[in-house]
Amino acid sequence: MIDSTFRMSHAALIAALFSSPVFAASDPAAIEQQLNALQQALAKQQEQIAQQQQEIERLREQLAASPSSEASVENIADEVQQAKLAAQDAPRVSMTNARPTITSADGRSSISVRSVVQLDAAHHEQDPDLGAADFRRGSVGAAPNRETAAARDLSDGAYFRRARVGVEGNLTRDFIYRVLAEFGGSGTEGPARINDFYLGYTGFAPFTIQVGAFSPPANMDDSINVESSLFIERASPSELSRTFGGADGRIGLGVRGSGARWMSALTLTTRTVNDAEVFDSQLAAVGRFGTLLVTSPDYNAHVGLNGTYVFQPPDQGSAAAANQRHVMRLRDRPEIRVDSTRLVDTGSIDTDSAYVYGLEAGANWKNFYLQGEAFQWGFERTAATAALPDPSFDGYYVQGSWILTGETRRYDMATAAFQAPRPFVPFSSAGGFGAWELALRYSHLNLDFHPGLAGTAATADAIRGGQQNILTFGVNWYVNSNVKLMLNWLHVDVDRLNPAGIGNLTPFGPAPATPPIGVQIGQDLDIYGLRTQYSF
């Protein structure tokens, strides 16, 4: 092969030489010069051929020194294949938005660590406590009742509103799960308890079946996840709607689904995991439907409806009085939880069945956002109090925000709610300001039914739960996708008459715990709240 190559190159050089214009000119000096160049080229080719021959001999010697060269090649191929298989079988570890996740090699199973920590602090500006001459009150309850005195001097301080940690993920593709423990509380941190503990089946897409303890979708405000909340707490009307048959840790069986422009959910619920033991648990149905009317990269508009029907209130047992065996009540804190005192409270209502329904609407346009909901509650009395009219209550809220740095609240069709913005440029020492948001909300809650006139005793059918109006201004700083700071100022106005009257002359216990008949027990106050949040 090498000899033939040499002969071909030699012949080509000679042909090129004698075809050149120099030979054609028959110039002896030029011919001599050309022959010298040809000899040099031939010598260089011979040197290259010799080097190639030496390389061939070296490779032959290496091949001869390996008696099982074919086997070695096969072993190397096997090792490569085994390495590939091992890489395929190894789980994948990732870190998305600071959330550690381990996913099986086939992608069908996963486990992610979740955590939400919210540290709240608050200062309450109230009129001075006048002692026995001060008639401001909290929840109805016989002495000793902490709220009787606490309503006059709400506690300032700090506590962990939420301190949740747990895991969630997939099991063999079609099953989802979440296990989340809660160490926070309202007013004070509580012992560890279940917040979520459920299993879901997603094989009937686009629907998911859930069973266990979870928060069923009860209204639009409820469907904004706690990490994305616009204010430190939900508006009181939406909070009372969600706790009617839902709320965190509610044990139930539900079905939810969503498409490109719709979301729906229906859940059969019983008690929450934190409820005191009763003879028979509450039984209720919680439903929600929402649709996206219009959508574009710059705007979204949502409308929906929601409702809860309580088929069976909790049963206190045959030892309870007839009008106290099946009871429900509505009460709430003034949209802050650093102090657990409730300033509006219907007291126990004898209930055979009950309902709440709500209408919801929300929209965003670029970095502006607006949302509102209205609710109506109704109670059907049992035979023990059938002579009295069935009470009803109402409430609403309107809230909105403007994101100064240009981000937008993201509309999530799976929850049919507007979730928190993601900062364009997270805050860091190298530059960037995060995302800044200004927020405003007004909420109205009316828990009065036939309240009567000031200075008079409550009639047998009267429920003096009070009317609460709260104006809240907020500033939110999204430092990055995991850290958030919130500052809220709340102006609270509670108008509430002493509920003492026919059938219950001492709702707060013997005097002076129960104020004089028909006096004002509400109040006006300002609250300054601060939240530091970390979540992943």
Side-chain angles (χ1 to χ4, degrees):
M1 176 68 180
I2 295 175
D3 292 342
S4 61
T5 303
F6 175 77
R7 287 194 295 269
M8 291 173 61
S9 302
H10 182 71
L13 285 170
I14 294 174
L17 175 64
F18 286 97
S19 62
S20 67
V22 178
F23 275 98
S26 300
D27 183 353
I31 294 173
E32 182 66 24
Q33 184 179 2
Q34 190 73 19
L35 285 173
N36 291 337
L38 178 61
Q39 288 176 350
Q40 292 175 2
L42 290 174
K44 188 173 181 180
Q45 281 191 352
Q46 287 175 345
E47 183 181 354
Q48 292 175 348
I49 291 170
Q51 291 175 353
Q52 292 174 355
Q53 186 66 40
Q54 291 176 359
E55 181 66 18
I56 290 172
E57 293 299 327
R58 187 182 65 81
L59 293 174
R60 283 176 178 172
E61 290 174 0
Q62 287 183 355
L63 188 61
S66 178
S68 56
S69 58
E70 292 183 2
S72 298
V73 173
E74 291 179 358
N75 290 338
I76 294 173
D78 289 342
E79 291 177 2
V80 172
Q81 184 64 21
Q82 291 174 5
K84 289 181 178 179
L85 293 174
Q88 292 174 358
D89 293 337
R92 298 189 297 272
V93 180
S94 62
M95 185 78 74
T96 303
N97 196 27
R99 180 180 301 165
T101 300
I102 302 175
T103 307
S104 62
D106 60 7
R108 296 166 64 91
S109 301
S110 67
I111 180 170
S112 298
V113 180
R114 285 189 62 93
S115 181
V116 180
V117 179
Q118 295 173 336
L119 177 62
D120 289 1
H123 169 69
H124 303 82
E125 285 195 357
Q126 299 174 269
D127 292 336
D129 185 355
L130 302 178
D134 196 325
F135 302 140
R136 291 173 291 180
R137 293 294 184 269
S139 287
V140 171
N145 178 7
R146 176 190 174 276
E147 294 192 22
T148 297
R152 305 192 298 264
D153 186 14
L154 296 169
S155 60
D156 298 338
Y159 82 116
F160 283 97
R161 173 68 174 93
R162 294 180 178 91
R164 299 176 181 175
V165 62
V167 295
E168 67 179 13
N170 294 76
L171 295 172
T172 62
R173 187 181 65 185
D174 289 339
F175 289 89
I176 60 174
Y177 67 91
R178 177 184 284 185
V179 179
L180 199 62
E182 173 68 272
F183 298 90
S186 292
T188 182
E189 296 83 4
R193 59 194 183 276
I194 294 173
N195 189 85
D196 289 303
F197 203 124
Y198 68 79
L199 181 69
Y201 180 70
T202 61
F204 300 127
F207 297 98
T208 297
I209 301 173
Q210 280 183 270
V211 61
F214 55 92
S215 178
N219 56 57
M220 192 174 187
D221 206 19
D222 173 50
S223 296
I224 299 174
N225 62 56
V226 295
E227 301 95 325
S228 298
S229 58
L230 184 61
F231 297 93
I232 290 178
E233 296 293 341
R234 299 180 183 90
S236 286
S238 63
E239 180 67 17
L240 291 182
S241 167
R242 75 184 291 266
T243 57
F244 214 59
D248 298 329
R250 182 70 69 171
I251 299 174
L253 172 66
V255 179
R256 68 172 70 189
S258 62
R261 301 281 289 271
W262 62 273
M263 173 271 177
S264 64
L266 181 62
T267 310
L268 186 67
T269 67
T270 60
R271 67 181 186 90
T272 68
V273 293
N274 303 316
D275 282 349
E277 186 177 12
V278 293
F279 284 83
D280 290 309
S281 296
Q282 173 179 296
L283 182 64
V286 182
R288 181 173 179 243
F289 175 81
T291 184
L292 200 56
L293 289 180
V294 293
T295 182
S296 83
D298 288 336
Y299 59 82
N300 298 279
H302 162 101
V303 295
L305 52 89
N306 54 74
T308 297
Y309 189 85
V310 180
F311 303 98
Q312 173 184 293
D315 184 358
Q316 305 301 324
S318 58
N323 65 345
Q324 294 295 315
R325 180 168 181 175
H326 301 92
V327 295
M328 298 184 70
R329 75 192 299 181
L330 298 176
R331 58 179 179 171
D332 193 38
R333 305 163 186 85
E335 299 178 0
I336 200 76
R337 298 289 188 272
V338 173
D339 189 294
S340 61
T341 301
R342 280 67 61 101
L343 299 181
V344 287
D345 179 16
T346 63
S348 297
I349 302 173
D350 178 43
T351 305
D352 181 69
S353 62
Y355 67 85
V356 59
Y357 66 85
L359 302 176
E360 57 188 58
N364 73 321
W365 178 69
K366 296 184 178 180
N367 53 334
F368 294 92
Y369 153 74
L370 184 65
Q371 175 178 310
E373 295 183 270
F375 303 95
Q376 182 79 31
W377 290 264
F379 294 78
E380 182 180 353
R381 296 183 181 273
T382 67
T385 55
L388 300 176
D390 295 333
S392 61
F393 312 97
D394 60 82
Y396 66 87
Y397 74 89
V398 179
Q399 65 186 29
S401 76
W402 173 32
I403 303 178
L404 303 177
T405 46
E407 293 86 351
T408 184
R409 281 199 159 254
R410 299 168 292 117
Y411 184 80
D412 177 22
M413 197 67 255
T415 59
F418 293 90
Q419 307 298 347
R422 292 173 178 156
F424 291 147
V425 184
F427 173 80
S428 72
S429 59
F433 296 98
W436 288 82
E437 181 178 40
L438 301 181
L440 187 66
R441 179 174 70 196
Y442 179 79
S443 70
H444 169 77
L445 180 63
N446 180 11
L447 298 185
D448 280 337
F449 179 73
H450 297 174
L453 300 175
T456 64
T459 59
D461 65 339
I463 297 177
R464 292 178 169 178
Q467 295 190 33
Q468 175 181 274
N469 299 295
I470 301 180
L471 177 66
T472 305
F473 175 73
V475 179
N476 300 326
W477 181 25
Y478 302 87
V479 180
N480 51 47
S481 297
N482 305 104
V483 179
K484 175 183 176 184
L485 298 178
M486 307 177 72
L487 179 64
N488 284 183
W489 166 73
L490 301 86
H491 179 70
V492 183
D493 179 8
V494 177
D495 182 7
R496 181 183 175 198
L497 297 179
N498 181 6
I502 297 174
N504 188 7
L505 292 174
T506 56
F508 300 100
T514 294
I517 293 295
V519 300
Q520 177 64 235
I521 63 172
Q523 61 179 301
D524 295 342
L525 71 152
D526 292 300
I527 306 175
Y528 300 91
L530 174 67
R531 168 171 290 175
T532 304
Q533 172 181 296
Y534 173 72
S535 64
F536 62 82

